[in-house]
Amino acid sequence: MSSTPNEAAPLKPLHGGPLVLLTIAVAFSTFMEVLDMTIVNVAVPHIAGSLGVSSSEGTWTISSYALASAIMQPLTGWLAKRFGEVKTFVASVLLFVVFSMLCGLASSMPMLVICRLLQGAGSGPMVALSLTLLLSSYPKAKQGIALALWAMTVVVAPIFGPILGGWLTDNFSWPWIFYINVPVGLLAAVITWALLRKRETKTSRTPIDAIGLLLLVVGVGSLQFMLDNGNDNDWFASPMILALGITALVCLTFLIVWEIHAKHPVVDLSLFKRRNFTVGVTALSLGMMAFFGINVVFPLWLQTTLNYTATWAGLATAPVGILAFLMAPVIGANINRLELRAVVTLAFMIFAGTSYWFASFDSSASFATLVLPRFVMGAGIACFFIPLNQIYLSGLPGEDIASASGLANFCRTMGSSVSTAASVTLWQHRGEFHHAVLTESVNPASTGATSFLQQLSQMGATGKTGLALVDQLVTREALTLAVNDVFWVCAVLFLALIPLLWLAKPPFGSAGGAVGH
């Protein structure tokens, strides 16, 4: 069956029931894909215990998925042009479902890691194509709403991942974090295929750029693996991490040069010739770096230093989604009326302000105190993701939307990976620094230290026991001061990004011919 539309008669956008149904299907499939980035995080100890491996080996379930997904994201545009956007999306959802099922059934760690790799590879194009399909199905006047719905799905899913993962693991068992994808994915695939199979985009039999593909797989694979494992292996002091870093640098440098001159590039780097795309994607990636840094270190600090459970750490993190969820439709509906650079500037100011607010907390901060800045931060999310997506897509022709969205998603994912590695390393190093500085105050000349040790000895904690308790307190305060330092760095990065935004050039109208597929 030829599903190539007639170019002379662009398809009309969907309306009413079918549009609502498609939005729900696409949003839920995207939600599940992004959710799977973080849902496993809290289940790692359970998975490791169940399969008889260490917790550090258990983290391979996280890194294998991220690695395969990162490799596939830049290939989205090529796959969509080769097989059609609808077919590629539905196939991606179905592969995600199959490998989710197999992940749940895995009886050994190698089997689970292989299934997670294949799950990530299968689902790689899903997020970018979900945006492309929504934009092509919505009337031009309502594309802002489509963009808002998509952006909120992508932002809210990682926040709810640990909460849902913790609840499923505690109340059922770890395989259910994978089984939950099966009914949702199948339903989404059936609805999308039923509504869009006659709206397939035109395809072209472009040859495979084998050298570009090889450089991409090796380069991105090495980079992602290095970022995931660098912190545990003392970074470049480890020969393995050093080798991975050099491999990534060489392969990605050659990839850029090769793709610029390739006749049929596997990654369309010519998009970076467009000013708005370059500014939008750079601001999105660096902004995501600072935003994700806070999201990684905050729950880690709560669990390791303030002794929060995974569920309570999740609940302290979750309020960031409330204002984001409420404001997204408003921003989306008015996206063509707003000065988008000013909206994103406001977002970065909110992020910088809340980061500075976080940097003032000590280890005695109550749950309510910690939740309030997270709640305020939510206002920044809606003002950050939705306008930046509109900025980088502005002026692009319809056939380039899939490539642009895939490449932007890849840059966003890489920003998150770099952020995770950098923020945790910074936190640990600053923790060691503060521990050393605070320990200098624990000496016979310090009246505060000696009186505290005397109080401990009166309570029966003498000698080494008393000193061990003091060390625990010093570590707790050192890690709290270190987390404040991370928040400070994030606040500075947000403010430094503001001038970059104003290099984008209006108008930021609807995404080119996104509707006229």
Side-chain angles (χ1 to χ4, degrees):
M1 182 188 86
S2 173
S3 51
T4 306
N6 179 1
E7 286 183 68
L11 289 165
K12 289 178 181 176
L14 295 175
H15 291 280
L19 187 60
V20 172
L21 210 55
L22 176 72
T23 305
I24 292 168
V26 169
F28 266 99
S29 53
T30 310
F31 186 83
M32 299 315 285
E33 199 277 341
V34 182
L35 187 78
D36 261 48
M37 293 269 182
T38 57
I39 197 170
V40 177
N41 295 17
V42 289
V44 165
H46 294 269
I47 294 171
S50 168
L51 299 178
V53 295
S54 68
S55 276
S56 61
E57 287 176 285
T59 58
W60 280 75
T61 54
I62 302 168
S63 48
S64 54
Y65 181 83
L67 188 145
S69 185
I71 290 169
M72 290 303 292
Q73 281 169 353
L75 294 173
T76 304
W78 183 85
L79 288 168
K81 282 175 182 161
R82 181 77 176 73
F83 302 105
E85 288 171 10
V86 180
K87 282 197 192 79
T88 306
F89 179 79
V90 172
S92 181
V93 174
L94 291 174
L95 285 170
F96 178 68
V97 166
V98 169
F99 291 117
S100 292
M101 193 74 195
L102 291 174
C103 283
L105 296 170
S107 55
S108 68
M109 198 63 198
M111 182 184 169
L112 180 58
V113 169
I114 289 166
C115 290
R116 279 287 279 174
L117 264 171
L118 294 168
Q119 187 195 26
S123 68
M126 259 166 75
V127 176
L129 284 177
S130 61
L131 174 61
T132 314
L133 293 178
L134 282 178
L135 287 175
S136 65
S137 303
Y138 267 69
K140 247 191 165 63
K142 291 185 178 173
Q143 279 189 359
I145 296 283
L147 198 53
L149 288 165
W150 178 84
M152 279 310 93
T153 309
V154 172
V155 176
V156 172
I159 296 161
F160 285 105
I163 301 171
L164 185 60
W167 184 79
L168 286 169
T169 309
D170 291 342
N171 292 285
F172 298 94
S173 59
W174 68 262
W176 281 97
I177 61 178
F178 299 114
Y179 294 152
I180 195 174
N181 296 332
V182 176
V184 177
L186 284 174
L187 207 59
V190 169
I191 292 170
T192 308
W193 182 249
L195 291 172
L196 299 184
R197 70 181 187 278
K198 290 180 181 170
R199 299 170 62 89
E200 186 57 280
T201 55
K202 60 180 185 289
T203 56
S204 56
R205 290 192 172 276
T206 47
I208 294 174
D209 172 17
I211 294 173
L213 185 60
L214 180 69
L215 289 168
L216 176 77
V217 170
V218 177
V220 173
S222 300
L223 178 62
Q224 185 72 40
F225 194 83
M226 180 193 87
L227 292 169
D228 282 336
N229 296 280
N231 201 42
D232 296 332
N233 292 282
D234 199 21
W235 288 103
F236 298 110
S238 156
M240 178 187 76
I241 298 298
L242 188 63
L244 286 167
I246 293 167
T247 306
L249 181 66
V250 171
C251 287
L252 294 175
T253 305
F254 273 99
L255 175 70
I256 291 166
V257 175
W258 178 265
E259 293 298 281
I260 287 169
H261 297 101
K263 196 174 180 184
H264 299 286
V266 77
V267 182
D268 187 6
L269 296 179
S270 66
L271 288 163
F272 284 106
K273 289 178 183 173
R274 291 177 174 269
R275 181 169 168 170
N276 285 358
F277 182 80
T278 306
V279 171
V281 170
T282 307
L284 183 68
S285 306
L286 294 176
M288 191 66 189
M289 221 164 145
F291 176 72
F292 211 76
I294 294 168
N295 280 354
V296 168
V297 173
F298 181 62
L300 260 180
W301 171 64
L302 292 179
Q303 288 178 76
T304 58
T305 314
L306 303 191
N307 299 320
Y308 275 55
T309 61
T311 307
W312 276 102
L315 289 170
T317 312
V320 79
I322 298 169
L323 279 180
F325 191 74
L326 294 173
M327 286 177 66
V330 179
I331 300 276
N334 296 290
I335 202 150
N336 293 323
R337 297 193 194 102
L338 296 166
E339 164 51 271
L340 298 186
R341 295 171 299 180
V343 176
V344 185
T345 299
L346 174 65
F348 284 160
M349 287 171 77
I350 291 170
F351 285 155
T354 48
S355 301
Y356 180 72
W357 189 355
F358 272 125
S360 66
F361 291 148
D362 58 31
S363 59
S364 63
S366 67
F367 181 81
T369 313
L370 294 167
V371 160
L372 193 57
R374 286 296 291 178
F375 175 75
V376 175
M377 198 179 222
I381 293 179
C383 299
F384 167 48
F385 278 89
I386 303 163
L388 272 181
N389 276 289
Q390 179 80 356
I391 287 171
Y392 80 69
L393 289 173
S394 60
L396 287 174
E399 62 270 16
D400 284 345
I401 299 287
S403 294
S405 184
L407 199 50
N409 265 299
F410 166 72
C411 293
R412 184 174 57 80
T413 305
M414 282 291 107
S416 305
S417 296
V418 170
S419 173
T420 303
S423 58
V424 173
T425 302
L426 177 65
W427 182 45
Q428 289 179 353
H429 284 209
R430 292 298 293 172
E432 288 162 14
F433 166 77
H434 285 300
H435 191 280
V437 171
L438 292 172
T439 306
E440 287 171 11
S441 302
V442 183
N443 60 56
S446 167
T447 51
T450 49
S451 66
F452 185 69
L453 282 166
Q454 281 168 7
Q455 283 175 4
L456 286 176
S457 63
Q458 286 166 12
M459 292 160 68
T462 55
K464 286 185 178 177
T465 313
L467 287 171
L469 281 167
V470 170
D471 185 56
Q472 276 182 13
L473 282 170
V474 168
T475 303
R476 175 175 162 140
E477 295 311 315
L479 288 172
T480 302
L481 288 168
V483 90
N484 288 349
D485 292 344
V486 175
F487 291 140
W488 257 102
V489 170
C490 292
V492 170
L493 181 55
F494 283 127
L495 291 174
L497 285 173
I498 291 173
L500 172 69
L501 298 170
W502 294 88
L503 296 175
K505 224 175 173 180
F508 307 117
S510 58
V515 167
H517 278 335

